[in-house]
Amino acid sequence: MKKIILLSAFILTILFIVSSLFITSLYAQTKFQELSLTKALELAKSEKKLVFIDCYTSWCGPCKIMAKEVLPQKEVGDFLNELFVCVKYDMEEGEGPELAKKYKVDAYPTFLLLNADGDLINSIVGMTPMGGEFIYKVKLALGEISTVKMDSMYAVGNRMTRFVLSYLKALEATKQYDKAKVVTTDLMKNLSDSQKSYATYWFLYENPKISPVGSENINYLLRHVDNFRKGVGVEPVNAKLTSMFENQLEDMIRGRNKTIDIADVEVVEKNLKACNLPGKDYLYDYVALLKGMFSYDADVAFAAFMKIFPTMKEEKLNYLYFRPITFLKGKWDDQQKKKLIDLSLKLSPEVKNVVLQDGLKYFAKEIKKF
């Protein structure tokens, strides 16, 4: 009997310890609350805290990595929960589009740091793979760490790798991108080919403000994709490449660079094929559309257009839909015009934005004149 009692007590103790560990881990992670921004600001004011907003989209790979691997970490949760009321919003749903417009969010993930009045203190753009590093970026963004001393140390010749990396992360967090580009160029000159593809330096390739398309860093990445997949990981590298190609091709479709021609599209196509990104067929549809546009081949452009736009998300329709049609004005045949009109009228009631609804209706009438 005594043994049974002792055994029962032992089992209860184990259960208590396990449940305690579970509860501890549950509350250690970043505590995101399901609140509107208005309610989050009210709570922050009453608790004398700031507001931390995770701005994400359903299709953003780096957003998912942050949500699954970084933000749940105990050290991150302990830090953020103490200082912030934490909320997260899909930038394509609910109040997300309005917040994206208000705070100029155009890359994902973006983390906004607001005061209790809703004023932007600072923002952190992009994925950070390590919890401690993310905390460091938040501290920098809040102004708790200054780059002034680091500027002086670098100027007098401190090139210790650990210091240079800390300096670059500080410059990135405080958005001193021009200075970061110069320091990055100097750093890369002193790295071997194998070192350049280490995960340690991935944040430099990942940030388009530091390594824009066409820069030596991005060209190096494109030439050594497999090395980066081994050194950094397949998922983050593929997510970066997908985002890069997507932005590059969408900028071409919307006409942001007026000097682009079919040769530029073919260069992107060549790089895209070399990178071998699984499940990203829509990028090749973008390429086909652009090749049809710049060769003034309405048949090629029409086939790609009808694959891309019937299922495109609303916020992209707003800036991508109209230019391909107007670009090939005078090239569409009557049957193609009819189908473009039908698609415009079909999409109009499906979108939520009233201005876009009316724009699609009006555009359908204009297509008849094309």
Side-chain angles (χ1 to χ4, degrees):
M1 183 68 179
K2 188 175 181 180
K3 288 182 179 180
I4 293 173
I5 293 172
L6 288 172
L7 180 60
S8 299
F10 175 75
I11 293 171
L12 288 172
T13 302
I14 293 298
L15 288 173
F16 174 77
I17 292 170
V18 170
S19 62
S20 296
L21 288 172
F22 174 77
I23 292 169
T24 299
S25 65
L26 181 66
Y27 288 100
Q29 61 187 324
T30 303
K31 181 184 176 185
F32 285 102
Q33 303 190 54
E34 293 186 8
L35 299 171
S36 67
L37 181 56
T38 300
K39 293 294 184 184
L41 292 170
E42 289 175 0
L43 182 59
K45 192 167 289 188
S46 68
E47 295 185 354
K48 294 182 170 47
K49 290 184 176 182
L50 305 173
V51 173
F52 175 91
I53 304 179
D54 176 0
C55 303
Y56 69 94
T57 67
S58 61
W59 46 264
C60 167
C63 300
K64 293 175 182 177
I65 294 172
M66 288 296 296
K68 182 180 179 182
E69 299 180 10
V70 180
L71 295 172
Q73 292 179 20
K74 184 181 186 305
E75 62 173 334
V76 177
D78 288 344
F79 175 75
L80 293 179
N81 295 338
E82 182 179 356
L83 293 176
F84 299 93
V85 171
C86 300
V87 288
K88 56 167 60 181
Y89 303 111
D90 186 331
M91 291 292 103
E92 298 175 348
E93 302 289 342
E95 61 181 311
E98 183 181 341
L99 294 178
K101 183 177 179 182
K102 179 177 180 179
Y103 294 109
K104 296 181 174 56
V105 177
D106 57 9
Y108 305 101
T110 289
F111 303 94
L112 302 177
L113 313 180
L114 311 181
N115 64 24
D117 292 322
D119 300 321
L120 181 64
I121 299 171
N122 219 325
S123 61
I124 301 168
V125 180
M127 184 184 80
T128 306
M130 305 297 290
E133 184 181 343
F134 186 68
I135 292 170
Y136 181 77
K137 284 188 176 183
V138 175
K139 288 181 177 180
L140 282 166
L142 291 174
E144 294 181 14
I145 302 173
S146 172
T147 62
V148 175
K149 185 177 180 181
M150 289 181 166
D151 290 339
S152 300
M153 293 171 68
Y154 190 79
V156 297
N158 189 335
R159 295 298 185 272
M160 295 290 290
T161 302
R162 182 176 294 181
F163 165 74
V164 173
L165 284 171
S166 296
Y167 184 37
L168 280 166
K169 288 171 184 176
L171 292 174
E172 180 188 36
T174 53
K175 300 182 181 180
Q176 299 181 60
Y177 298 121
D178 288 341
K179 194 178 292 184
K181 287 179 186 177
V182 174
V183 177
T184 298
T185 299
D186 290 342
L187 172 65
M188 290 299 170
K189 288 176 183 176
N190 296 312
L191 296 179
S192 66
D193 280 349
S194 60
Q195 288 175 316
K196 287 178 182 178
S197 57
Y198 286 176
T200 305
Y201 306 105
W202 176 242
F203 74 100
L204 299 171
Y205 298 91
E206 194 175 31
N207 190 328
K209 300 287 188 181
I210 297 175
S211 299
V213 172
S215 67
E216 178 52 35
N217 278 355
I218 293 302
N219 291 337
Y220 185 87
L221 167 61
L222 291 172
R223 293 194 303 268
H224 301 87
V225 171
D226 288 338
N227 289 346
F228 280 90
R229 285 177 174 141
K230 291 175 185 175
V232 179
V234 173
E235 188 171 352
V237 172
N238 284 359
K240 163 63 184 176
L241 291 170
T242 299
S243 174
M244 183 183 75
F245 285 123
E246 184 177 284
N247 291 334
Q248 195 175 6
L249 292 167
E250 288 181 357
D251 282 349
M252 289 179 173
I253 292 170
R254 66 197 296 187
R256 281 194 160 180
N257 187 338
K258 303 301 181 185
T259 65
I260 293 294
D261 59 23
I262 195 166
D264 297 300
V265 178
E266 288 171 346
V267 169
V268 177
E269 181 183 26
K270 180 181 176 182
N271 289 333
L272 180 59
K273 287 179 178 177
C275 289
N276 189 27
L277 296 169
K280 305 300 177 185
D281 291 346
Y282 72 97
L283 296 174
Y284 292 98
D285 294 335
Y286 280 170
V287 169
L289 174 62
L290 285 162
K291 290 173 82 171
M293 289 169 62
F294 289 125
S295 63
Y296 294 97
D297 188 328
D299 292 335
V300 171
F302 180 79
F305 191 94
M306 297 305 287
K307 287 179 70 176
I308 295 167
F309 288 98
T311 58
M312 178 169 278
K313 291 183 181 294
E314 179 174 333
E315 77 282 353
K316 290 193 176 187
L317 275 177
N318 199 32
Y319 61 81
L320 292 177
Y321 185 81
F322 302 98
R323 184 170 181 264
I325 299 175
T326 57
F327 191 92
L328 291 173
K329 185 176 181 179
K331 301 293 182 181
W332 306 113
D333 62 34
D334 290 340
Q335 186 177 10
Q336 288 167 342
K337 284 188 205 176
K338 182 180 183 308
K339 290 185 177 179
L340 291 171
I341 290 168
D342 290 345
L343 178 59
S344 301
L345 294 175
K346 175 181 179 294
L347 292 172
S348 177
E350 294 177 358
V351 300
K352 298 177 183 177
N353 187 304
V354 176
V355 175
L356 182 57
Q357 285 180 4
D358 292 341
L360 286 164
K361 286 180 188 176
Y362 174 79
F363 195 62
K365 295 176 183 178
E366 291 299 305
I367 293 173
K368 295 176 183 178
K369 305 172 187 178
F370 290 0

